[in-house]
Amino acid sequence: MTINTNHPTENQARQMRENHPQSYNCWLQYNAIDDVSVASFYRSFCQSFVVLCDRTPLINSAIDELQRGITSLLGETPTETGKDDNQLVLGTLEDVAQEDILDRISLANLNEEGYCIRMDERQHQLYVLGKTEKGILYAVFHLLRKMQLNEILTTEEVIEQPVNQIRMMNHWDNVDGSIERGYAGLSFFYQQNRFSRQWDRMHDYARMLASIGINAVTINNVNVHQVESEFITAAFLPDVARTADIFRAYNIKLFLSANYSSPMQLGGLSSADPLADDVREWWKEKASEIYAAIPDFGGFVIKADSENRPGPFTYGRTHADGANMLGEALAPHGGILIWRCFVYNCHQDWRDKTTDRARAAYDHFMPLDGQFNDNVILQIKNGPMDFQVREGVSPLLGAMKDTNQILEFQIAQEYTGQQKHLCYLVPQWKDVLNFDTYAKGEGSFVKDVASGSLYERPLSGIAAVANSGDAYNWTGHPLAQANLYGYGRLVWNPELSADAIASEWITQTYGNHATVLKTIKEMLLQSLQTYENYTAPLGVGWMVNPNHHYGPNVDGYEYSAWGTYHFADLHGIGVDRTMQTGTGYTSQYFPENEKRYESLEACPDELVLFFHHVPYTHQLHSGKSVIQHIYDTHFEGAEQAEQLREQWKSIKELIDEERFNDGLTRFNLQVDSAKEWRDIINTYFYRKSGIEDEHGRTIYS
């Protein structure tokens, strides 16, 4: 079975929900609890509920979710009553401030999205409490997650709050219905240069995002095209406002990607110079117009002066000049300006080995530390290149102690198989979050930069490029849902393990069959290494076809035929980024990491070609030569891809036919692609090096 990529009407979207419920519902299946003791425990509390706080759209969302979940999980719908015994109690901490239930709870430091769930054994009540109404919504989702996982609450309080202040989803959707780097169909926000008005679908998506704690979303591409530039005009603002209403009911603020040159394109001004009075006034008036339509509008996301996008460089101004001008326009309304640090000259000559794209973000932004306004945040990709399967962590993360920073991941698998391949990305994200920058000495982790705790910054968080589209299962590959779920759970709590997140997702999505859980979890946890094995070795990256970024092309390059990213010749391979003989990129790290990466002996094997140019015979810490590592991992990776397919086949009778067939189609593609990668990469490096595979395997035609 293939994924339908025809753009749905609203009626078709409703049909998806009805005709493909298991695929469409993702981890919000709410299947009936089959454990009698668990069902009995929750049934004793869930016959009725009382709401102690005022009814707002957000509280109504929480109540709707509670009733939907309990009805499906327990087979009976709870009724709303007055305060009584044997019931669920929903409210804020202030609503129960006079009750002695709070005597045993330490809640003083909870933030506004925090919550508490606890049992009162005296009256047999289950309190579902938020610090504010936002916390109530998240508490309801937590309770329903516990129920789906067949976990009985103990007498100990559940006290949780998000670690990261901003937990954002970036959509790269275009108003014509296409999605840049979208691998799950078309956009459900737009079609044919207008909003699709699939309000029900957007509502279902908001539910999904809220269930994993997302609280901010951009709904259009960072590469803002001509029509999308008009989203901030009267022609589109009513539909933008309607979309914001839907997300607001789930505590998700709506942001827009804006075109930096809008004063020229929309306002007819002669420039977009950030220091020009008429430009500054235009943006202030535009901000007032937007906030009149959307009072809680989040703000703008801006990509400027990179990959041919307009920006302040045209006028001899800095990124700080450009960002602060927009920040000033948003500030009176409480808005935020997010300025992306993915800035580099895509027209530079890559034949010059002193040119290094990896240096670009740090070189551009580090000299500006402390010059950005307090409502401006720099959005920094997890690596200095572009979401590769393996690259160094961006040295800009943690370097700017006087600037707000938000970490950027990519859920969409642009360079990791485009959701045709299984590639569970949570382990990669965990590695990034746990990377020690040494910014304030040992223990200065990236996760502390993202949370704002390292430098006590007022604004911080994590954003990611979304992987959802209008496919009936949202993500194309049914197992790609694990990345969407895993991202949300991880940015809520970076201490969760990749294993635990996988278990949560599998159980909620496919049920609690032990064999299904064991098999899919093994597949997920192995998949990132498998993908790395048959694609890019030792941190060299890229080697994909230009433009669409799928499939092997060893010398592929995005913008021209100006060479490659790996500098392979008959003598060796890798990029010399050392201070002593290379581009000097290693100097951008704090001394402890600089020393580790500068030294060929100390550099980890998995990044050796990212930091060093070495002979093919260079011996790795593993004991293998570089060339033998390339041969071995590509053979292993192709075999592992076949193993993934066989593992999937082994649970055919234990999951539904639709999701099984969708997965099998993808695994067949992955097996074929892995073999292609193996043969092309190994053949290329055999011909470059002239060194035979020591195991005598055929590696060239």
Side-chain angles (χ1 to χ4, degrees):
M1 183 177 293
T2 57
I3 302 298
N4 174 31
T5 56
N6 294 322
H7 208 298
T9 64
E10 179 57 43
N11 185 55
Q12 287 172 324
R14 203 171 290 122
Q15 289 175 353
M16 287 183 188
R17 188 165 55 236
E18 295 170 356
N19 297 336
H20 310 282
Q22 291 172 308
S23 296
Y24 187 85
N25 289 334
C26 299
W27 53 87
L28 298 177
Q29 301 286 330
Y30 296 148
N31 293 323
I33 297 173
D34 55 10
D35 186 305
V36 175
S37 62
V38 174
S40 176
F41 171 82
Y42 284 108
R43 193 170 284 117
S44 68
F45 291 105
C46 296
Q47 304 290 323
S48 67
F49 67 94
V50 61
V51 181
L52 303 180
C53 54
D54 293 336
R55 300 291 285 260
T56 65
L58 197 153
I59 292 300
N60 287 337
S61 295
I63 294 170
D64 289 347
E65 197 68 32
L66 185 73
Q67 291 182 302
R68 180 200 301 249
I70 290 175
T71 300
S72 185
L73 287 159
L74 298 178
E76 49 192 76
T77 302
T79 57
E80 185 173 358
T81 66
K83 189 76 179 295
D84 202 353
D85 294 348
N86 305 312
Q87 67 177 176
L88 286 167
V89 180
L90 273 66
T92 67
L93 299 182
E94 185 177 349
D95 293 322
V96 294
Q98 304 305 315
E99 300 185 28
D100 63 3
I101 186 173
L102 292 180
D103 292 347
R104 299 188 298 277
I105 308 175
S106 175
L107 301 167
N109 296 320
L110 275 183
N111 62 38
E112 64 175 14
E113 294 177 307
Y115 59 82
C116 169
I117 301 173
R118 78 173 304 272
M119 290 186 292
D120 180 5
E121 294 179 315
R122 296 168 302 174
Q123 296 178 305
H124 200 69
Q125 291 170 322
L126 184 59
Y127 282 81
V128 181
L129 306 173
K131 181 70 172 288
T132 67
E133 63 175 13
K134 298 174 183 179
I136 296 173
L137 177 71
Y138 295 131
V140 166
F141 278 117
H142 183 107
L143 175 64
L144 295 174
R145 181 165 55 245
K146 286 284 190 182
M147 294 174 72
Q148 285 201 91
L149 296 174
N150 278 8
E151 295 179 2
I152 292 178
L153 294 171
T154 68
T155 55
E156 295 296 318
E157 298 86 10
V158 174
I159 299 175
E160 282 219 10
Q161 64 181 353
V163 170
N164 292 294
Q165 177 185 1
I166 298 172
R167 306 176 301 282
M168 191 174 209
M169 198 70 69
N170 290 166
H171 282 268
W172 287 1
D173 294 34
N174 301 313
V175 75
D176 64 2
S178 64
I179 303 175
E180 184 174 334
R181 311 311 177 197
Y183 311 111
L186 300 173
S187 172
F188 50 81
F189 290 111
Y190 320 109
Q191 61 180 356
Q192 299 175 351
N193 289 330
R194 64 175 180 83
F195 272 73
S196 67
R197 299 182 179 174
Q198 295 185 60
W199 309 123
D200 284 354
R201 176 99 186 201
M202 294 180 201
H203 173 270
D204 290 342
Y205 187 59
R207 280 184 60 228
M208 287 170 53
L209 295 189
S211 75
I212 53 175
I214 302 302
N215 68 355
V217 63
T218 52
I219 59 172
N220 64 309
N221 194 351
V222 294
N223 295 311
V224 185
H225 305 297
Q226 183 171 355
V227 179
E228 291 96 315
S229 297
E230 299 178 25
F231 280 8
I232 57 177
T233 69
F236 282 94
L237 272 176
D239 283 335
V240 176
R242 176 73 183 272
T243 305
D245 290 344
I246 292 170
F247 282 109
R248 181 184 303 110
Y250 286 92
N251 190 42
I252 300 171
K253 280 198 172 186
L254 186 139
F255 288 68
L256 288 174
S257 295
N259 186 341
Y260 184 82
S261 64
S262 289
M264 300 171 67
Q265 292 195 18
L266 303 179
L269 301 187
S270 60
S271 84
D273 183 349
L275 299 189
D277 290 341
D278 58 346
V279 173
R280 302 171 80 87
E281 188 59 31
W282 187 90
W283 277 111
K284 289 176 182 178
E285 292 177 358
K286 181 55 63 178
S288 295
E289 180 184 352
I290 295 169
Y291 280 94
I294 312 168
D296 62 347
F297 178 65
F300 296 133
V301 174
I302 301 290
K303 177 179 177 180
D305 285 316
S306 186
E307 297 182 325
N308 303 310
R309 299 303 303 164
F313 284 4
T314 301
Y315 312 98
R317 312 305 188 191
T318 69
H319 289 289
D321 293 330
N324 289 341
M325 178 265 294
L326 289 163
E328 288 169 5
L330 294 167
H333 311 280
I336 294 170
L337 190 282
I338 300 176
W339 190 272
R340 297 181 79 242
C341 292
F342 184 59
V343 175
Y344 70 102
N345 179 5
C346 61
H347 299 293
Q348 56 197 335
D349 189 343
W350 296 95
R351 292 170 297 187
D352 180 357
K353 294 187 179 182
T354 64
T355 298
D356 189 358
R357 173 172 167 176
R359 290 187 58 108
Y362 188 101
D363 285 346
H364 277 295
F365 288 95
M366 188 60 196
L368 302 176
D369 188 27
Q371 297 182 31
F372 293 91
N373 291 354
D374 281 346
N375 71 327
V376 172
I377 312 175
L378 298 187
Q379 183 164 310
I380 304 168
K381 287 188 177 185
N382 62 270
M385 299 299 278
D386 193 10
F387 302 128
Q388 299 301 293
V389 67
R390 180 79 67 174
E391 58 182 303
V393 172
S394 173
L396 194 58
L397 290 164
M400 304 179 71
K401 64 184 179 67
D402 295 316
T403 303
N404 299 323
Q405 300 178 49
I406 188 169
L407 170 63
E408 182 180 0
F409 289 133
Q410 188 186 57
I411 310 172
Q413 296 170 223
E414 178 180 355
Y415 294 100
T416 51
Q418 299 190 355
Q419 291 164 217
K420 299 176 183 131
H421 299 213
L422 175 60
C423 193
Y424 181 52
L425 294 171
V426 176
Q428 181 191 71
W429 300 334
K430 286 284 294 182
D431 286 346
V432 172
L433 291 168
N434 290 330
F435 179 78
D436 196 343
T437 67
Y438 292 93
K440 294 176 67 178
E442 187 175 1
S444 304
F445 302 110
V446 167
K447 60 188 175 186
D448 301 321
V449 177
S451 71
S453 62
L454 187 65
Y455 294 122
E456 299 183 355
R457 297 302 307 168
L459 292 172
S460 59
I462 303 178
V465 182
N467 70 338
S468 51
D470 72 355
Y472 58 71
N473 66 2
W474 299 92
T475 59
H477 197 311
L479 299 189
Q481 292 176 8
N483 285 329
L484 179 56
Y485 178 87
Y487 166 73
R489 293 290 288 139
L490 191 62
V491 300
W492 179 278
N493 180 7
E495 301 307 318
L496 290 174
S497 70
D499 184 298
I501 291 171
S503 294
E504 282 186 7
W505 175 77
I506 296 163
T507 301
Q508 293 175 89
T509 306
Y510 288 96
N512 59 7
H513 194 289
T515 300
V516 172
L517 174 60
K518 179 176 184 294
T519 301
I520 297 181
K521 184 159 69 170
E522 287 178 355
M523 295 170 68
L524 290 174
L525 294 177
Q526 171 60 33
S527 60
L528 178 64
Q529 186 61 61
T530 294
Y531 187 84
E532 184 174 5
N533 283 347
Y534 63 73
T535 54
L538 303 171
V540 73
W542 304 96
M543 301 200 301
V544 293
N545 282 302
N547 300 316
H548 61 76
H549 299 166
Y550 184 82
N553 186 330
V554 188
D555 288 328
Y557 179 66
E558 193 69 54
Y559 294 99
S560 71
W562 282 347
T564 68
Y565 284 102
H566 55 73
F567 295 112
D569 55 25
L570 73 162
H571 302 295
I573 179 178
V575 183
D576 185 352
R577 292 191 162 102
T578 66
M579 294 174 60
Q580 185 173 3
T581 58
T583 69
Y585 167 78
T586 56
S587 67
Q588 295 183 343
Y589 289 94
F590 287 94
E592 294 84 350
N593 286 321
E594 175 193 317
K595 181 179 180 181
R596 180 163 62 119
Y597 293 140
E598 179 78 11
S599 166
L600 181 57
E601 291 72 28
C603 186
D605 281 352
E606 64 268 20
L607 286 171
V608 68
L609 300 185
F610 187 86
F611 287 101
H612 297 274
H613 187 87
V614 299
Y616 294 106
T617 54
H618 171 73
Q619 188 176 47
L620 302 169
H621 297 107
S622 67
K624 292 183 180 182
S625 66
V626 166
I627 190 64
Q628 194 59 45
H629 174 95
I630 293 172
Y631 295 153
D632 287 350
T633 54
H634 283 79
F635 278 107
E636 289 167 7
E639 292 171 0
Q640 289 164 341
E642 292 189 2
Q643 291 167 9
L644 288 174
R645 180 171 64 181
E646 293 309 305
Q647 287 175 289
W648 186 248
K649 287 180 178 179
S650 74
I651 57 172
K652 178 179 181 180
E653 305 303 323
L654 302 177
I655 62 175
D656 60 287
E657 182 179 5
E658 180 174 87
R659 289 186 291 182
F660 173 79
N661 288 337
D662 285 345
L664 184 60
T665 298
R666 304 286 169 155
F667 285 117
N668 287 335
L669 288 170
Q670 183 169 359
V671 167
D672 291 343
S673 184
K675 291 177 181 177
E676 181 185 21
W677 275 95
R678 175 198 65 196
D679 294 342
I680 288 177
I681 300 299
N682 282 347
T683 297
Y684 178 95
F685 286 110
Y686 169 73
R687 290 175 175 171
K688 280 283 188 184
S689 68
I691 300 173
E692 298 274 358
D693 170 29
E694 64 185 29
H695 300 299
R697 293 165 293 198
T698 301
I699 58 173
Y700 57 93
S701 58

